[in-house]
């Protein structure tokens, strides 16, 4: 896996029930970008865990995990590392194997280029 910067675009969600996710309602829109340095060869998947905030009063509640098929670790990054971009798409949010909404996420990866400069000195 290459090293670089992973850009996660959190676009929106729909069908969320009983969740106070940065705004009220069942169809929040964020259009927020988050940047992560990828420095490990072990980075193969992006796991998304969705929590609702209880405003510091108590413990935050799990809304669900985004997942595909039967995997909890589910957005594979192989295609992203190869192609550099996964356009925003919707992923099902699951909790206890039950559907509880969708989240729309886009991904971009910029490879970190390293330059090595060799200098030779002639005497």
């Amino acid at each position: 896996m290459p090293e670089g910067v992973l850009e996660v675009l959190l676009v929106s969600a729909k069908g969320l029930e009983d969740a106070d996710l940065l705004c009220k309602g069942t169809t929040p829109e964020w259009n927020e970008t988050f940047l992560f340095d990828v420095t490990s060869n072990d980075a193969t998947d992006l796991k998304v865990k969705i929590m609702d905030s209880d405003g510091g009063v108590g413990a935050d509640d799990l809304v669900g995990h985004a997942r595909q098929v039967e995997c909890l670790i589910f957005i594979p990054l192989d295609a992203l590392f190869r192609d550099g971009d996964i356009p925003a798409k919707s992923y099902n949010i699951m909790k206890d194997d039950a559907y509880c909404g969708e989240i729309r996420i886009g991904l971009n990866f910029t490879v970190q280029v390293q330059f090595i400069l060799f200098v030779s000195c002639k005497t």
Side-chain angles (χ1 to χ4, degrees), residues 66-87:
R67 60 187 249 183
Q68 290 177 325
V69 193
E70 298 177 355
C71 302
L72 286 176
I73 299 176
F74 76 102
I75 300 180
L77 297 177
D78 294 341
L80 177 66
F81 291 147
R82 183 185 62 245
D83 302 333
D85 183 55
I86 296 177

Side-chain angles (χ1 to χ4, degrees), residues 10-105:
L10 180 59
V11 179
S12 61
K14 69 178 183 178
L16 302 177
E17 298 294 331
D18 301 322
D20 305 320
L21 298 167
L22 303 177
C23 58
K24 300 290 183 188
T26 62
T27 57
E29 290 196 25
W30 301 287
N31 292 310
E32 294 284 338
T33 300
F34 301 91
L35 301 177
F36 301 94
D37 288 325
V38 176
T39 59
S40 171
N41 288 335
D42 297 332
T44 59
D45 301 287
L46 176 66
K47 179 177 181 179
V48 178
K49 187 174 185 178
I50 302 159
M51 306 290 289
D52 107 355
S53 174
D54 288 330
V57 175
D60 295 338
D61 301 316
L62 175 67
V63 174
H65 297 274
R67 60 187 249 183
Q68 290 177 325
V69 193
E70 298 177 355
C71 302
L72 286 176
I73 299 176
F74 76 102
I75 300 180
L77 297 177
D78 294 341
L80 177 66
F81 291 147
R82 183 185 62 245
D83 302 333
D85 183 55
I86 296 177
K89 63 182 265 187
S90 294
Y91 297 91
N92 289 342
I93 301 170
M94 307 296 289
K95 182 177 180 184
D96 300 327
D97 292 325
Y99 172 86
C100 56
E102 295 177 8
I103 191 163
R104 190 163 179 78
I105 298 173

